[in-house]
């Protein structure tokens, strides 16, 4: 089988893009440079804010994302992965005129939980308010028989603050403080009966790792990286 070239439509945000690329490298079996996969990255942090577009009628990110996909195709990519969960709200619109096929993070996560954790029927979702209110991720999990619970009370506002703090330059709170708060919020979801927690924003895996909680943590970037390796024609580590 001829290996395919992975295209990363990134910049949403830049560190999540870097994390996805690092995970693709980590999960590719290779003993030397030439055995790694070819990866093309378009990291455009100028793509309009996805949550603002979903919730407030802000500028659509779709034109910028289409332009990025066209650039990836010109650079030789065979398919695209997007390290931004909120951007997946626009996936159907994007795919209608897409230059390349897109590997859906929603599908990857739902299929992984169903296949590898068949007993899990309820997960907590840590994500942007745009992703939660947009409902597309919840709907995809529901088709696999998985119920989704979201942070209650003021916890969701705290998740959003944490996400934007992770995206920004170092501020008042360091990563350790942000991570501690995210673990506390996840703990309250566990108290409500979730059997696993989905890192439903690509900034969340930067502070919440598998093993940090008493239930499985589903790192959407890690799952997407492994799926990209498979789609490119290799068996991931």
């Amino acid at each position: 089988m001829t290996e395919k070239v992975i295209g990363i439509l990134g910049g949403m945000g830049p560190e999540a893009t870097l994390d996805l690329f690092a995970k693709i490298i980590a999960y590719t079996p290779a003993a030397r440079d030439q055995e790694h996969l070819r990866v093309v990255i378009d990291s455009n942090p100028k793509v309009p804010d996805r949550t603002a577009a979903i919730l407030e009628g802000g500028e659509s990110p779709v034109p910028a994302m289409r332009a990025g996909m066209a650039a990836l195709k010109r650079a030789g990519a065979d398919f695209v992965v997007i390290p931004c969960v909120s951007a997946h709200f626009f996936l159907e619109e994007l795919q209608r005129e897409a230059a390349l096929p897109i590997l859906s993070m929603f599908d990857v996560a739902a299929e992984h939980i169903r296949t590898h954790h068949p007993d899990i029927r309820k997960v907590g979702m840590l994500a942007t308010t745009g992703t939660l209110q947009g409902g597309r991720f919840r709907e995809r999990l529901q088709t696999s028989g998985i119920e989704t619970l979201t942070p209650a009370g003021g916890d969701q506002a705290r998740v959003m603050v944490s996400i934007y703090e992770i995206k920004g330059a170092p501020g008042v709170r360091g990563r350790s403080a942000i991570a501690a708060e995210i673990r506390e919020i996840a703990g309250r979801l566990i108290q409500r009966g979730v059997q696993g927690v989905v890192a439903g924003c690509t900034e969340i895996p930067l502070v919440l790792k598998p093993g940090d909680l008493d239930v499985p943590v589903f790192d959407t970037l890690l799952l997407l990286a492994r799926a990209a390796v498979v789609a490119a024609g290799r068996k991931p580590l």
Side-chain angles (χ1 to χ4, degrees), residues 54-55 89 128-139:
I54 296 167
L55 299 181
F89 176 85
T128 65
T129 305
T131 291
L132 298 185
Q133 293 194 17
R136 304 278 169 82
F137 205 170
R138 181 190 68 247
E139 291 165 3

Side-chain angles (χ1 to χ4, degrees), residues 156-166 173 178 181:
Q156 179 56 31
R158 286 187 279 274
V159 170
M160 282 297 291
V161 169
S162 295
I163 288 169
Y164 282 108
E165 284 180 325
I166 295 166
R173 294 200 304 171
I178 296 169
E181 181 168 58

